[in-house]
């Protein structure tokens, strides 16, 4: 039985992780932390039945030896020191922030505006996109869980990238539920501001998650760098991400070939749901699950030579886009059933 610690258990990803680990047959929770609610019980902060006493992060450092793995559900910039401390204590670290995703301190500075204070750890972290980096995750002790938007985009486009079928430019239109912004009391996320509204933000080549799309897809493509135009929107739902991607394939590539490429790439994947021709991926395909649903549509079905494709990928941003993928990473790392606690 593995023992897990959770640093930052009262945010949306943290409480989701508590619930996932509670149903995991081979894991128990050792301790959980909260910066704002230390000393309180979890059931006093969230509508859950569990009476765990929330502790401060400094107390978790002192109790590091009590756990086998720690999940860091901390804000960007705050996971660096925590990852260092737990790694020095020889604890497996699974970080759900962006602090170790990009692999280079310069990239982290460019996209997050922060100096990375543990650059020596960056080469040791495995980027936890399970369907792409499964072999690197086996036995990994330091794992960086991908961001929510990049998980839909990277899984949605990876088969095209590896086939060399991504063009020079990809247009991505993504919509996220409000929980993607975290448990913060900011004006755009208040009910009256977000309900019956939809708001674009950081559109173009601005959103920090573009860095992860480039990291995965450009590395996979034999054709080199692709330019991503990314337009994220705040959708007035609690959870879920839907990404619509517009791609032009090379001359002669047919819809049948594209569909066959996806089937080959994702054969046997427990959490990839490829929809048949004529169906479209929706939030209902994936919300409250660890699945990523993908649909493939040719722009002009009456033209057999059409090489413009619309790929739609959806996920639950709190599960496959965060805590569920973290559990999936843990399962692979420790040699457990990859689906344990997630089905």
């Amino acid at each position: 039985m593995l023992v897990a610690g959770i640093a930052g258990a009262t945010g949306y990803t943290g409480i989701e992780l508590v619930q996932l680990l509670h149903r995991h047959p081979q894991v128990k929770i050792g301790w959980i932390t909260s910066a704002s609610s230390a000393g309180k019980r979890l059931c006093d902060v969230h509508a859950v039945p569990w009476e765990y006493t929330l502790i401060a992060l400094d107390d978790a450092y002192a109790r590091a030896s009590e756990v086998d793995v720690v999940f860091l559900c901390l804000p960007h910039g705050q996971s660096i020191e925590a990852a260092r401390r737990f790694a020095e204590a020889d604890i497996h670290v699974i970080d759900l922030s962006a602090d170790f995703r990009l692999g280079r301190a310069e990239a982290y500075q460019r996209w997050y505006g922060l100096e990375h204070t543990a650059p020596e750890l960056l080469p040791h972290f495995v980027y936890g996109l399970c369907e792409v980096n499964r072999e690197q995750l086996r036995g990994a002790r330091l794992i960086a869980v991908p961001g929510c938007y990049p998980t839909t985009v990277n899984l949605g486009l990876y088969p095209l990238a590896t086939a060399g079928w991504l063009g020079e430019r990809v247009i991505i239109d993504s919509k996220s539920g409000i929980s993607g912004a975290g448990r913060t009391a900011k004006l755009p996320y208040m009910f009256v501001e977000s309900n019956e509204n939809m708001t674009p933000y950081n559109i173009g080549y601005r959103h920090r998650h573009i860095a992860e799309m480039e990291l995965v897809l450009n590395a996979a493509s034999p054709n080199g760098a692709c330019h991503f135009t990314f337009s994220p929107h705040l959708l007035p739902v609690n959870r879920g991400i839907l990404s619509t991607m517009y791609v032009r394939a090379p001359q002669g590539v047919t819809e049948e070939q594209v569909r066959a490429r996806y089937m080959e790439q994702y054969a046997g994947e427990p959490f990839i749901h490829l929809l048949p021709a004529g169906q479209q991926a929706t939030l209902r395909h994936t919300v409250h699950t660890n699945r990523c649903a993908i649909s493939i549509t040719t722009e002009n079905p009456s033209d057999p030579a059409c090489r413009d494709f619309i790929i739609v990928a959806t996920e639950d941003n709190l599960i496959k886009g965060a805590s569920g993928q973290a559990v999936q990473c843990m399962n692979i790392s420790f040699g457990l059933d990859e689906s344990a606690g997630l089905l």
Side-chain angles (χ1 to χ4, degrees):
M1 182 73 70
L2 292 177
V3 182
I6 304 172
T10 55
Y12 290 135
T13 58
I15 191 62
E16 197 74 40
L17 190 54
V18 171
Q19 297 186 75
L20 289 172
L21 293 181
H22 253 279
R23 73 187 193 203
H24 198 293
Q26 293 169 281
V27 179
K28 67 177 182 178
I29 297 173
W31 44 252
I32 61 177
T33 83
S34 172
S36 60
S37 301
K40 296 181 180 179
R41 299 177 305 169
L42 184 63
C43 59
D44 295 328
V45 180
H46 280 282
V48 296
W50 306 303
E51 297 184 357
Y52 294 110
T53 298
L54 296 155
I55 65 173
L57 188 55
D58 283 342
D59 294 327
Y61 294 145
R63 296 173 56 181
S65 63
E66 298 177 14
V67 301
D68 302 296
V69 57
V70 61
F71 295 88
L72 304 181
C73 304
L74 303 172
H76 306 315
Q78 295 184 24
S79 286
I80 297 176
E81 180 60 22
R84 190 208 305 272
R85 295 280 294 272
F86 288 117
E88 288 173 350
D90 203 28
I91 307 300
H92 284 69
V93 175
I94 301 179
D95 180 28
L96 283 80
S97 83
D99 288 351
F100 293 94
R101 292 175 188 162
L102 302 186
R104 295 186 301 109
E106 298 81 6
Y108 183 74
Q109 173 76 46
R110 153 76 173 86
W111 288 99
Y112 288 86
L114 300 170
E115 179 184 358
H116 204 291
T117 55
E120 73 282 357
L121 287 180
L122 288 170
H124 301 286
F125 269 82
V126 176
Y127 186 73
L129 190 60
C130 300
E131 291 76 10
V132 172
N133 290 334
R134 182 175 285 108
E135 293 308 311
Q136 297 95 307
L137 286 167
R138 299 189 195 281
R141 301 187 66 86
L142 302 175
I143 297 170
V145 179
C148 51
Y149 281 128
T151 296
T152 57
V153 173
N154 287 333
L155 291 177
L157 296 179
Y158 190 73
L160 295 178
T162 56
W165 293 347
L166 279 185
E168 294 181 358
R169 184 184 183 193
V170 175
I171 297 175
I172 304 160
D173 182 301
S174 293
K175 297 171 179 65
S176 173
I178 296 170
S179 59
R183 202 170 180 231
T184 56
K186 294 184 179 179
L187 184 62
Y189 316 134
M190 296 177 66
F191 180 82
V192 174
E193 299 296 325
S194 59
N195 186 49
E196 299 184 14
N197 190 18
M198 188 166 67
T199 309
Y201 64 100
N202 289 340
I203 60 175
Y205 193 76
R206 293 177 178 84
H207 197 285
R208 54 188 56 171
H209 281 178
I210 291 173
E212 293 178 60
M213 302 170 196
E214 293 177 336
L215 178 75
V216 172
L217 297 174
N218 286 344
S221 175
N223 298 335
C226 176
H227 178 75
F228 299 97
T229 298
F230 179 50
S231 299
H233 302 73
L234 188 67
L235 189 65
V237 297
N238 288 343
R239 57 204 296 160
I241 285 180
L242 187 150
S243 292
T244 304
M245 295 157 277
Y246 303 88
V247 179
R248 171 161 289 184
Q251 193 74 38
V253 175
T254 67
E255 181 181 2
E256 290 74 16
Q257 290 175 309
V258 170
R259 193 168 295 280
R261 179 74 195 95
Y262 276 76
M263 293 178 66
E264 178 186 10
Q265 182 77 58
Y266 291 135
E269 289 292 348
F271 297 113
I272 300 294
H273 182 187
L274 287 177
L275 275 72
Q279 291 188 21
Q280 300 299 324
T282 70
L283 292 184
R284 286 185 178 175
H285 282 100
T286 52
V287 168
H288 299 292
T289 79
N290 195 56
R291 292 192 297 271
C292 176
I294 301 172
S295 60
I296 304 163
T297 306
T298 181
E299 185 175 280
N300 185 356
S302 64
D303 179 5
C306 179
R307 54 196 183 101
D308 293 317
F309 293 91
I310 302 170
I311 311 297
V312 179
T314 71
E315 69 176 17
D316 187 312
N317 57 294
L318 296 179
I319 303 183
K320 185 59 172 173
S323 300
Q325 187 151 229
V327 172
Q328 190 179 354
C329 286
M330 177 196 69
N331 289 340
I332 296 171
S333 172
F334 283 94
L336 306 178
D337 177 357
E338 187 170 332
S339 301
L342 295 171
L343 291 178

